[in-house]
Amino acid sequence: MSILVNEGTKVCVQGITGRDGSFHAQQMKEYGTTVIGGTRPGKGGEIHEGFPVFDTVAEAKSAGANTSVIYVPVAGAVDAMYESIEAEMDLIVCITEGIPANDMVRVVDSLRGRPSKLVGPNCPGVITPGVAKVGIIPGSIATPGPVGVVSRSGTLTYEVVHALTSLGIGQSTCVGIGGDQVPGMNFIDTLTLFREDSATELVVIIGEIGGADEQIAADYVANELGKPAVAFVAGQTAPPGKRMGHAGAIISGGEGTAAEKIAAFQQAGIPVGKTPAEVAELAKAKLSG
Amino acid sequence: MKIHEHQAKAIFGDAGIPIPEGRIASSAEEAGRAAAELGPPVAVKSQVLVGGRGKAGGIKIADTVDEAQAHAKAILGMEIKGLPVRKVLIEKTADIDRELYLSIALDRSIRAPLMLGSAMGGVDIEEVAKTQPEAIERVPIDPEFGLRPYTVWGALRRMMGDQDLAKQAVAIAAKLYGIFMDLDCSLVEINPLIVTGDGRVMALDAKINLDDNALFRHPQLEKLRDTDAEDPRERDAKESDLSFVALEGEIGCIVNGAGLAMATMDMVKHAGGEPANFLDVGGSSRPEKVLNAMRIILEDPAVRVILLNIFGGITRCDDIAKGLITAKDELGVEVPIVARLTGTNESDGRALLKSVGLESAATMEEAVGTAVKLAKGASA
């Protein structure tokens, strides 16, 4: 078992003829993911590096796709999400970064009452080790096992997954939900899926400064998850009032500092690692304890 | 991006939100003329992009034209929290009966806009929110329907305590929401929102923060940018599509991804070093991004070592290595470089670095440890 991505995942790559789309279509396929093809309006019917190209997501869906991954540049990314939502894809993963927050408010709102789940934007995607991956997470760092990973960061996710794998601890599914202010799935949406997943015995939560999502997640772990968790929070040394790249990584006033988040996790009985390697060790100790 | 009070007030005025009559001035003489036109008493308000202007002495009331001119002269020579005051807003003073608070902000926990209101405005609203959360009205706005009078009527009637005042506040809230959506703001705030002695509701201050990701569709707002408030290196980095924040230390950091960049800075500090900067080279890794990153970091003479920490996903290690080699050639780098390359195309990247005599560290811990040691050795 796993969450979001499994043996039945069939991917449509939106923006398959672009530099990133075409590279990662190949990477996903090499990992063992079923890639049905991709879209590039105006090039439908062509073959791009071995992949069939469709004009629309609906056509890719007719050819068997049930999952979309979006690599199109920011100007077209919002349309790309709407297209996959209207086509009722099961899972939509948006890698593109730099999307206006108000556009995301409307996109997230349009998901109400519709069957699709949206991961991202500005995220690395989802990998179910040994089975399939949707997005850009390097396949080589992950290995199958009992740990679910959910993260607001991209590359930091890789670091933690790599550390877990190095200690011989595998993962059920790793989900990078992205660092934007208005994400599709958030910590709670993802933790709810991990709760129901029999293959997941422990969850690693990777947070960062800004907002209060980590505090809400800590509360959920303490009261609802029913499984142990360990955590990491990036930005312990970030100076207040500075924007650190992600829209989410802003500390202002007394809200959203790493110290507050770490305290919330610890109060909920969730150990917090100081480094990615320490997080992996904490996970190992919890699993064997 | 933040904009000045007078710019935000111009936007408020165009939207029909009541504001005090005012004029902008960049010299004491202009301020004096503005005061004479408006008729004293007037407020002389410094225009800088930081909070706490009043406490810093950047807002003064003048009862005569001469006094307005004198205040303007003093304030225009000031620096507030490191920012020079280049303009003052001269405004007709209002007859304040009560000070309240009203704002629209994006709330990430509900993934939608939130209207915040309080009868306790004018003071530190964050303090009120902490100590008296019940004194804050919070109304989530359903983006499908928007902010309609009925959405906020109940909250604003409680806050204003009077039907007629509530009616005025509801009209202001609707216009505030219109600005929030039309200009793609992350925050639109009135603090204080005032009730005058004759029962009018008015915005005495105005704050608008714009979503940087949406500026491309508002070219007219780009002109409002105040470059004084921006570090020139941060601006340079932004033009090169890099996310950069200058800090005080001696270890120049180049990392891909904001989360990993922050975690790297944290690890540097834990290891006893000080990061010179935050720098995220971002996703797609064109080699020239590394070149620009190196150039910007090396402008800081305090930098004693460069720490490159890359975990490639969409970023490809060979692209990063090519950029680093180009930078070494073109910039004549004299400080040591500690590189750690893992992930997509890592063996190609490491081989490229090795070809120019650069060994790669195996782990982030090792790279950080080496960088801290080199920085300390260099300073000893």
mmCIF file of all heavy atoms in Angstrom, chain B residues 3-17 19-20 22 24 47 89 91 179 183 205-208 224:
data_model
loop_
_atom_site.group_PDB
_atom_site.id
_atom_site.type_symbol
_atom_site.label_atom_id
_atom_site.label_comp_id
_atom_site.label_asym_id
_atom_site.label_seq_id
_atom_site.Cartn_x
_atom_site.Cartn_y
_atom_site.Cartn_z
ATOM 1 N N ILE B 3 4.471 49.076 -0.628
ATOM 2 C CA ILE B 3 4.419 50.423 -1.196
ATOM 3 C C ILE B 3 4.169 51.420 -0.072
ATOM 4 O O ILE B 3 3.749 51.063 1.024
ATOM 5 C CB ILE B 3 3.350 50.560 -2.321
ATOM 6 C CG1 ILE B 3 1.944 50.306 -1.790
ATOM 7 C CG2 ILE B 3 3.673 49.629 -3.474
ATOM 8 C CD1 ILE B 3 0.851 50.614 -2.806
ATOM 9 N N HIS B 4 4.452 52.702 -0.365
ATOM 10 C CA HIS B 4 4.333 53.743 0.660
ATOM 11 C C HIS B 4 2.882 54.064 0.992
ATOM 12 O O HIS B 4 1.980 53.861 0.177
ATOM 13 C CB HIS B 4 5.031 55.020 0.168
ATOM 14 C CG HIS B 4 6.519 54.930 0.200
ATOM 15 N ND1 HIS B 4 7.216 54.874 1.370
ATOM 16 C CD2 HIS B 4 7.433 54.875 -0.802
ATOM 17 C CE1 HIS B 4 8.522 54.800 1.099
ATOM 18 N NE2 HIS B 4 8.674 54.782 -0.215
ATOM 19 N N GLU B 5 2.717 54.648 2.179
ATOM 20 C CA GLU B 5 1.404 55.065 2.650
ATOM 21 C C GLU B 5 0.702 55.968 1.620
ATOM 22 O O GLU B 5 -0.471 55.762 1.314
ATOM 23 C CB GLU B 5 1.555 55.819 3.978
ATOM 24 C CG GLU B 5 0.255 56.373 4.510
ATOM 25 C CD GLU B 5 0.464 57.412 5.613
ATOM 26 O OE1 GLU B 5 1.626 57.738 5.931
ATOM 27 O OE2 GLU B 5 -0.542 57.900 6.145
ATOM 28 N N HIS B 6 1.435 56.958 1.105
ATOM 29 C CA HIS B 6 0.761 57.900 0.191
ATOM 30 C C HIS B 6 0.341 57.215 -1.109
ATOM 31 O O HIS B 6 -0.678 57.550 -1.696
ATOM 32 C CB HIS B 6 1.643 59.131 -0.073
ATOM 33 C CG HIS B 6 2.852 58.884 -0.929
ATOM 34 N ND1 HIS B 6 2.851 59.052 -2.288
ATOM 35 C CD2 HIS B 6 4.096 58.454 -0.612
ATOM 36 C CE1 HIS B 6 4.054 58.757 -2.761
ATOM 37 N NE2 HIS B 6 4.819 58.381 -1.766
ATOM 38 N N GLN B 7 1.132 56.207 -1.516
ATOM 39 C CA GLN B 7 0.766 55.452 -2.727
ATOM 40 C C GLN B 7 -0.470 54.591 -2.452
ATOM 41 O O GLN B 7 -1.389 54.515 -3.277
ATOM 42 C CB GLN B 7 1.945 54.560 -3.145
ATOM 43 C CG GLN B 7 3.181 55.356 -3.533
ATOM 44 C CD GLN B 7 4.434 54.485 -3.607
ATOM 45 O OE1 GLN B 7 4.565 53.475 -2.915
ATOM 46 N NE2 GLN B 7 5.377 54.888 -4.457
ATOM 47 N N ALA B 8 -0.479 53.968 -1.279
ATOM 48 C CA ALA B 8 -1.626 53.136 -0.905
ATOM 49 C C ALA B 8 -2.877 54.012 -0.748
ATOM 50 O O ALA B 8 -3.977 53.633 -1.152
ATOM 51 C CB ALA B 8 -1.330 52.388 0.391
ATOM 52 N N LYS B 9 -2.683 55.220 -0.194
ATOM 53 C CA LYS B 9 -3.836 56.113 -0.017
ATOM 54 C C LYS B 9 -4.390 56.582 -1.355
ATOM 55 O O LYS B 9 -5.600 56.772 -1.493
ATOM 56 C CB LYS B 9 -3.456 57.296 0.860
ATOM 57 C CG LYS B 9 -3.589 56.960 2.344
ATOM 58 C CD LYS B 9 -3.425 58.156 3.227
ATOM 59 C CE LYS B 9 -3.793 57.783 4.659
ATOM 60 N NZ LYS B 9 -3.018 58.547 5.643
ATOM 61 N N ALA B 10 -3.500 56.774 -2.327
ATOM 62 C CA ALA B 10 -3.986 57.166 -3.656
ATOM 63 C C ALA B 10 -4.879 56.051 -4.217
ATOM 64 O O ALA B 10 -5.924 56.312 -4.821
ATOM 65 C CB ALA B 10 -2.808 57.441 -4.583
ATOM 66 N N ILE B 11 -4.455 54.809 -3.975
ATOM 67 C CA ILE B 11 -5.262 53.662 -4.441
ATOM 68 C C ILE B 11 -6.588 53.618 -3.671
ATOM 69 O O ILE B 11 -7.652 53.415 -4.262
ATOM 70 C CB ILE B 11 -4.456 52.348 -4.267
ATOM 71 C CG1 ILE B 11 -3.279 52.331 -5.256
ATOM 72 C CG2 ILE B 11 -5.348 51.127 -4.472
ATOM 73 C CD1 ILE B 11 -2.247 51.234 -5.001
ATOM 74 N N PHE B 12 -6.526 53.846 -2.364
ATOM 75 C CA PHE B 12 -7.754 53.900 -1.553
ATOM 76 C C PHE B 12 -8.692 54.982 -2.085
ATOM 77 O O PHE B 12 -9.890 54.766 -2.244
ATOM 78 C CB PHE B 12 -7.416 54.222 -0.081
ATOM 79 C CG PHE B 12 -6.960 53.052 0.731
ATOM 80 C CD1 PHE B 12 -6.510 51.884 0.132
ATOM 81 C CD2 PHE B 12 -6.982 53.117 2.117
ATOM 82 C CE1 PHE B 12 -6.089 50.805 0.897
ATOM 83 C CE2 PHE B 12 -6.565 52.045 2.896
ATOM 84 C CZ PHE B 12 -6.105 50.900 2.279
ATOM 85 N N GLY B 13 -8.124 56.168 -2.320
ATOM 86 C CA GLY B 13 -8.932 57.307 -2.782
ATOM 87 C C GLY B 13 -9.632 56.989 -4.093
ATOM 88 O O GLY B 13 -10.835 57.232 -4.259
ATOM 89 N N ASP B 14 -8.881 56.380 -5.028
ATOM 90 C CA ASP B 14 -9.476 56.011 -6.324
ATOM 91 C C ASP B 14 -10.604 55.001 -6.146
ATOM 92 O O ASP B 14 -11.560 54.979 -6.922
ATOM 93 C CB ASP B 14 -8.407 55.406 -7.246
ATOM 94 C CG ASP B 14 -7.419 56.453 -7.738
ATOM 95 O OD1 ASP B 14 -7.728 57.663 -7.615
ATOM 96 O OD2 ASP B 14 -6.329 56.069 -8.212
ATOM 97 N N ALA B 15 -10.473 54.137 -5.129
ATOM 98 C CA ALA B 15 -11.498 53.110 -4.908
ATOM 99 C C ALA B 15 -12.706 53.662 -4.146
ATOM 100 O O ALA B 15 -13.709 52.976 -3.987
ATOM 101 C CB ALA B 15 -10.893 51.944 -4.134
ATOM 102 N N GLY B 16 -12.589 54.908 -3.647
ATOM 103 C CA GLY B 16 -13.709 55.520 -2.937
ATOM 104 C C GLY B 16 -13.693 55.293 -1.432
ATOM 105 O O GLY B 16 -14.708 55.486 -0.758
ATOM 106 N N ILE B 17 -12.549 54.880 -0.890
ATOM 107 C CA ILE B 17 -12.418 54.755 0.573
ATOM 108 C C ILE B 17 -12.073 56.142 1.123
ATOM 109 O O ILE B 17 -11.106 56.756 0.656
ATOM 110 C CB ILE B 17 -11.324 53.733 0.949
ATOM 111 C CG1 ILE B 17 -11.734 52.330 0.481
ATOM 112 C CG2 ILE B 17 -11.055 53.756 2.456
ATOM 113 C CD1 ILE B 17 -10.657 51.272 0.658
ATOM 114 N N ILE B 19 -10.382 59.076 2.851
ATOM 115 C CA ILE B 19 -9.045 59.299 3.416
ATOM 116 C C ILE B 19 -8.926 60.798 3.699
ATOM 117 O O ILE B 19 -9.628 61.598 3.095
ATOM 118 C CB ILE B 19 -7.924 58.866 2.432
ATOM 119 C CG1 ILE B 19 -8.199 59.440 1.021
ATOM 120 C CG2 ILE B 19 -7.768 57.370 2.366
ATOM 121 C CD1 ILE B 19 -7.040 59.317 0.053
ATOM 122 N N PRO B 20 -8.022 61.200 4.599
ATOM 123 C CA PRO B 20 -7.828 62.629 4.835
ATOM 124 C C PRO B 20 -7.235 63.287 3.590
ATOM 125 O O PRO B 20 -6.481 62.635 2.845
ATOM 126 C CB PRO B 20 -6.815 62.665 5.985
ATOM 127 C CG PRO B 20 -6.763 61.289 6.543
ATOM 128 C CD PRO B 20 -7.152 60.362 5.447
ATOM 129 N N GLY B 22 -4.668 65.231 1.491
ATOM 130 C CA GLY B 22 -3.229 65.328 1.724
ATOM 131 C C GLY B 22 -2.449 65.661 0.463
ATOM 132 O O GLY B 22 -2.984 65.650 -0.646
ATOM 133 N N ILE B 24 1.819 65.267 -1.156
ATOM 134 C CA ILE B 24 3.129 64.685 -0.930
ATOM 135 C C ILE B 24 4.187 65.793 -1.146
ATOM 136 O O ILE B 24 4.015 66.649 -2.009
ATOM 137 C CB ILE B 24 3.351 63.461 -1.847
ATOM 138 C CG1 ILE B 24 4.562 62.648 -1.411
ATOM 139 C CG2 ILE B 24 3.449 63.844 -3.314
ATOM 140 C CD1 ILE B 24 4.320 61.811 -0.194
ATOM 141 N N GLN B 47 7.574 59.085 4.874
ATOM 142 C CA GLN B 47 7.192 57.979 3.994
ATOM 143 C C GLN B 47 8.378 57.020 3.870
ATOM 144 O O GLN B 47 9.271 57.226 3.046
ATOM 145 C CB GLN B 47 6.763 58.524 2.629
ATOM 146 C CG GLN B 47 5.556 59.455 2.704
ATOM 147 C CD GLN B 47 4.294 58.732 3.158
ATOM 148 O OE1 GLN B 47 3.765 57.886 2.451
ATOM 149 N NE2 GLN B 47 3.812 59.064 4.364
ATOM 150 N N LEU B 89 4.322 63.059 3.803
ATOM 151 C CA LEU B 89 2.918 63.249 3.433
ATOM 152 C C LEU B 89 2.353 64.309 4.372
ATOM 153 O O LEU B 89 2.435 64.169 5.598
ATOM 154 C CB LEU B 89 2.165 61.919 3.578
ATOM 155 C CG LEU B 89 0.644 61.955 3.337
ATOM 156 C CD1 LEU B 89 0.313 62.362 1.896
ATOM 157 C CD2 LEU B 89 0.028 60.576 3.629
ATOM 158 N N GLU B 91 -0.914 66.064 5.683
ATOM 159 C CA GLU B 91 -2.327 65.684 5.680
ATOM 160 C C GLU B 91 -3.117 66.536 6.655
ATOM 161 O O GLU B 91 -2.641 66.845 7.749
ATOM 162 C CB GLU B 91 -2.441 64.225 6.128
ATOM 163 C CG GLU B 91 -3.014 63.335 5.084
ATOM 164 C CD GLU B 91 -3.050 61.875 5.534
ATOM 165 O OE1 GLU B 91 -3.062 61.608 6.753
ATOM 166 O OE2 GLU B 91 -3.043 61.026 4.668
ATOM 167 N N ILE B 179 -9.776 46.011 -3.867
ATOM 168 C CA ILE B 179 -8.358 46.344 -4.073
ATOM 169 C C ILE B 179 -7.509 45.086 -3.910
ATOM 170 O O ILE B 179 -6.635 44.787 -4.722
ATOM 171 C CB ILE B 179 -7.902 47.422 -3.058
ATOM 172 C CG1 ILE B 179 -8.607 48.751 -3.337
ATOM 173 C CG2 ILE B 179 -6.382 47.595 -3.092
ATOM 174 C CD1 ILE B 179 -8.445 49.788 -2.233
ATOM 175 N N LEU B 183 -5.580 44.034 -7.366
ATOM 176 C CA LEU B 183 -4.141 44.308 -7.437
ATOM 177 C C LEU B 183 -3.300 43.125 -6.967
ATOM 178 O O LEU B 183 -2.084 43.241 -6.874
ATOM 179 C CB LEU B 183 -3.800 45.562 -6.620
ATOM 180 C CG LEU B 183 -4.506 46.861 -7.028
ATOM 181 C CD1 LEU B 183 -3.964 48.027 -6.210
ATOM 182 C CD2 LEU B 183 -4.338 47.151 -8.513
ATOM 183 N N ASP B 205 -4.565 55.617 8.119
ATOM 184 C CA ASP B 205 -3.314 55.081 7.581
ATOM 185 C C ASP B 205 -3.682 54.065 6.505
ATOM 186 O O ASP B 205 -4.847 53.630 6.427
ATOM 187 C CB ASP B 205 -2.483 54.429 8.702
ATOM 188 C CG ASP B 205 -1.021 54.230 8.281
ATOM 189 O OD1 ASP B 205 -0.654 54.644 7.153
ATOM 190 O OD2 ASP B 205 -0.248 53.662 9.072
ATOM 191 N N ALA B 206 -2.717 53.688 5.695
ATOM 192 C CA ALA B 206 -2.985 52.729 4.624
ATOM 193 C C ALA B 206 -1.740 51.915 4.369
ATOM 194 O O ALA B 206 -0.643 52.458 4.273
ATOM 195 C CB ALA B 206 -3.380 53.471 3.343
ATOM 196 N N LYS B 207 -1.929 50.601 4.296
ATOM 197 C CA LYS B 207 -0.794 49.718 4.025
ATOM 198 C C LYS B 207 -1.215 48.697 2.977
ATOM 199 O O LYS B 207 -2.255 48.052 3.123
ATOM 200 C CB LYS B 207 -0.396 49.019 5.319
ATOM 201 C CG LYS B 207 0.866 48.205 5.225
ATOM 202 C CD LYS B 207 1.251 47.726 6.620
ATOM 203 C CE LYS B 207 2.471 46.849 6.596
ATOM 204 N NZ LYS B 207 2.776 46.372 7.947
ATOM 205 N N ILE B 208 -0.404 48.574 1.926
ATOM 206 C CA ILE B 208 -0.666 47.563 0.895
ATOM 207 C C ILE B 208 0.620 46.792 0.634
ATOM 208 O O ILE B 208 1.648 47.383 0.349
ATOM 209 C CB ILE B 208 -1.167 48.215 -0.420
ATOM 210 C CG1 ILE B 208 -2.546 48.865 -0.214
ATOM 211 C CG2 ILE B 208 -1.223 47.184 -1.551
ATOM 212 C CD1 ILE B 208 -3.129 49.507 -1.464
ATOM 213 N N LEU B 224 5.918 51.851 -8.593
ATOM 214 C CA LEU B 224 5.836 52.317 -7.210
ATOM 215 C C LEU B 224 6.976 51.765 -6.358
ATOM 216 O O LEU B 224 7.104 52.089 -5.195
ATOM 217 C CB LEU B 224 4.491 51.900 -6.587
ATOM 218 C CG LEU B 224 3.224 52.351 -7.332
ATOM 219 C CD1 LEU B 224 1.986 51.892 -6.573
ATOM 220 C CD2 LEU B 224 3.194 53.864 -7.488
#
